[in-house]
Each structure stands twice: as C-alpha cells, then as structure tokens.
Amino acid sequence: MVCNIKIFGYKGLLLPKQVKAILFVLIVSCGVKAQDKPLEFPFRVGEVVKYNAYYNWQFVWFYAGTAEFYVTDTVFNGVPSFHFKSIGSSHSSYDWFFKVRERFESVAQKENLAPLWFLRDSYEGGYKAFNRYSFSYSTSKLVIDSYTSNRPFTQKTFNLDKRIFDVLTAIYYCRTIDFSRLRRGDRVPLAMAVDDGVYDLYIRYLGTENIKHRNGGVFDTYKFSVKLVEGTIFKGGEDMVVWVSRDEKRVPIAVEAKILIGSVKAYLLEYRVN
C-alpha cells in the first residue's frame, strides 16, 4: 500500500523524524533529448527541505547528522535568479568521530537554471575545502578559485563549451527530469564542476519502486544511481542510489551511499513552502 498523506498542503510527502543529506550530488544533464522542452520547475521560491542521516558501521546504524536546503529569490548582475543554499552538519555527539560542517550556495538563472556563481565551505573530519565558481557566458569561461587542507590556493579556468553544473544547481536540475520518458538502464550524462576540476558524470535510471521510509510510511518513487567523484567521503563510482517522489515535485525521499568507511542512509525529514 502506498501512503497518500497531506503535509503542509502537499499531498504525497510524509513528515517523519529522520534523514540526512549527502544529496549534494544528485545530478542530471541539459543535453538529454528528454530535456529539450522548456524547463518546468518542480520547486519554487520559499521551498525548505530537511533531512536526517544515519551512518552504518559494522551492522550498527547511528543517527549521524542533518542537512537543510533552501530556495530564495535574488538578482545577480541584473539577472533574475534563484539562490540555492544548503547547510549540513554531523550530530554533536559524533563530532569526535567525524565532524562535518558544510555550507553550499549557488546562484542560477531563473530562465534555464544555468549556474552563475557557486560557493562551498566545508570541514569534513579535519579536511577543509573551499571552492568558488564564477560562470561567464559572455566569455564562455568558468573560473574556479579553490584550496583544501592538502593543497594551497589555486585558480583554474575552463571553457564553457557545454553546460557545466555545480553541485547544488545539479540537485535542483535533477528534479526537472521527466523520468517517465526514460527506460530502465538509461544514462543521463552531465558535466559537473567538483572541487577544482570538471568531470563528465551521469545518473542511471533504475525504474520505479515503492520504498519503505524509516518511519514506516511507503512512497511511490523513481529510483536512480549516481556516478560519484572519489574524494574525502565517497569511494567514487556508481555507489549512490536515490529515490525521488513519483509526482510533479520529485522531492528526494531517500538516499543510500557507500562511503570510505561504512555507508550512509538519508531520509526526508520535512518539506514545506514558506
């Protein structure tokens, strides 16, 4: 049986008490035929989505932390834009084991979600990372300023000869995909800026599935895996699976990912539009 519950005026999303966010890498491409039609945004200004995460180590699950995503309005260099923001942190009782504090911000054109500016400021278990991306479509250049605990400040320039997403814009762009037009096993490619580089990544559509939430509810979802870049948390490869609501909002309901030590599951905690 599929739950059909109305929360904050939204039919189909349950308000549990648990979920986290390693949702920083849900991705899609603007180059896919299924996306040739004008974008229809399933989100809007004022949307707030929150998650709790659980960490698995030696078959034991621990409440690990939280993440929150916000959509607001802005004007960037005269261009009407969305301002996306995400903040994440580990639970204070587990900071001794692997402390995480993350802030991501992105500005994207309202017309087509083309990213204009991005900022990442992260602390992950003693590892620090800072990224700032500036997208110039008049010069077709992407400038990346970055540094980490392992390397000093660098500035790199890439050609914008194709659509390149930052991690936050990719999350929201992912929700615009019409999954009903994909076949099981189809890949959706995209170019994405991660840290100080640009990578050709993809998601793989895995079909539909009714999944059981940690709180006992059941959701009708689209399911896909995500190609990740190896780093301080992720192993890399197709080691993340995402379930999004099978409706017009396509909100991520659950995420499961293998990390360098153990694995993480995330569940939707709260959805609302202010």
Side-chain angles (χ1 to χ4, degrees):
M1 182 178 68
V2 176
C3 287
N4 197 11
I5 299 175
K6 190 173 183 181
I7 294 175
F8 294 114
Y10 173 46
K11 192 176 183 182
L13 280 184
L14 199 56
L15 181 62
K17 293 283 181 185
Q18 307 88 33
V19 131
K20 170 169 173 173
I22 290 189
L23 300 172
F24 300 126
V25 276
L26 307 182
I27 49 183
V28 277
S29 166
C30 66
V32 175
K33 290 183 179 179
Q35 292 300 106
D36 285 344
K37 63 182 181 180
L39 290 179
E40 297 178 2
F41 300 129
F43 55 85
R44 59 182 176 139
V45 171
E47 182 186 85
V48 178
V49 188
K50 298 182 180 182
Y51 299 87
N52 284 347
Y54 294 84
Y55 170 69
N56 177 265
W57 184 64
Q58 294 186 351
F59 305 103
V60 179
W61 287 96
F62 303 94
Y63 170 54
T66 62
E68 303 173 1
F69 294 80
Y70 300 89
V71 182
T72 58
D73 242 341
T74 192
V75 175
F76 188 85
N77 292 335
V79 179
S81 304
F82 291 112
H83 181 194
F84 303 122
K85 183 177 180 179
S86 178
I87 54 176
S89 64
S90 54
H91 192 275
S92 58
S93 62
Y94 293 104
D95 280 350
W96 65 270
F97 176 65
F98 197 85
K99 182 177 180 179
V100 175
R101 297 291 186 273
E102 309 227 49
R103 178 169 67 96
F104 294 79
E105 295 189 52
S106 180
V107 176
Q109 298 179 34
K110 281 190 173 181
E111 179 183 10
N112 56 8
L113 280 190
L116 299 169
W117 176 87
F118 171 79
L119 178 71
R120 173 197 180 191
D121 189 3
S122 297
Y123 178 92
E124 302 168 348
Y127 176 85
K128 296 181 180 179
F130 174 86
N131 306 139
R132 181 174 57 237
Y133 304 160
S134 299
F135 298 81
S136 173
Y137 297 100
S138 60
T139 62
S140 296
K141 299 295 182 183
L142 163 62
V143 177
I144 295 180
D145 298 312
S146 68
Y147 65 83
T148 72
S149 297
N150 298 334
R151 59 172 174 77
F153 174 87
T154 61
Q155 183 175 89
K156 296 183 179 180
T157 301
F158 298 86
N159 291 326
L160 275 175
D161 53 358
K162 55 186 175 183
R163 179 64 56 82
I164 299 175
F165 291 95
D166 61 71
V167 68
L168 264 186
T169 306
I171 292 173
Y172 288 94
Y173 195 92
C174 181
R175 291 172 58 185
T176 71
I177 294 179
D178 185 356
F179 290 101
S180 67
R181 298 180 63 181
L182 299 180
R183 295 177 300 178
R184 185 182 180 91
D186 280 353
R187 286 187 183 187
V188 181
L190 93 156
M192 186 169 170
V194 180
D195 197 13
D196 65 338
V198 174
Y199 301 86
D200 291 319
L201 304 175
Y202 61 83
I203 70 171
R204 186 191 304 275
Y205 179 57
L206 300 177
T208 61
E209 184 176 331
N210 290 336
I211 64 163
K212 188 173 182 180
H213 195 284
R214 187 177 175 88
N215 74 341
V218 177
F219 291 87
D220 186 13
T221 66
Y222 294 110
K223 178 182 179 181
F224 58 90
S225 60
V226 182
K227 176 72 166 65
L228 304 176
V229 176
E230 183 177 357
T232 56
I233 291 182
F234 298 111
K235 292 182 177 180
E238 241 175 284
D239 283 338
M240 174 180 284
V241 178
V242 181
W243 292 263
V244 299
S245 59
R246 193 179 173 190
D247 58 14
E248 72 282 358
K249 295 188 184 299
R250 293 187 285 281
V251 175
I253 300 296
V255 176
E256 184 172 353
K258 295 179 182 178
I259 57 177
L260 295 177
I261 304 176
S263 60
V264 171
K265 285 187 178 180
Y267 295 92
L268 178 68
L269 170 66
E270 179 181 335
Y271 170 92
R272 72 173 188 269
V273 178
N274 294 330

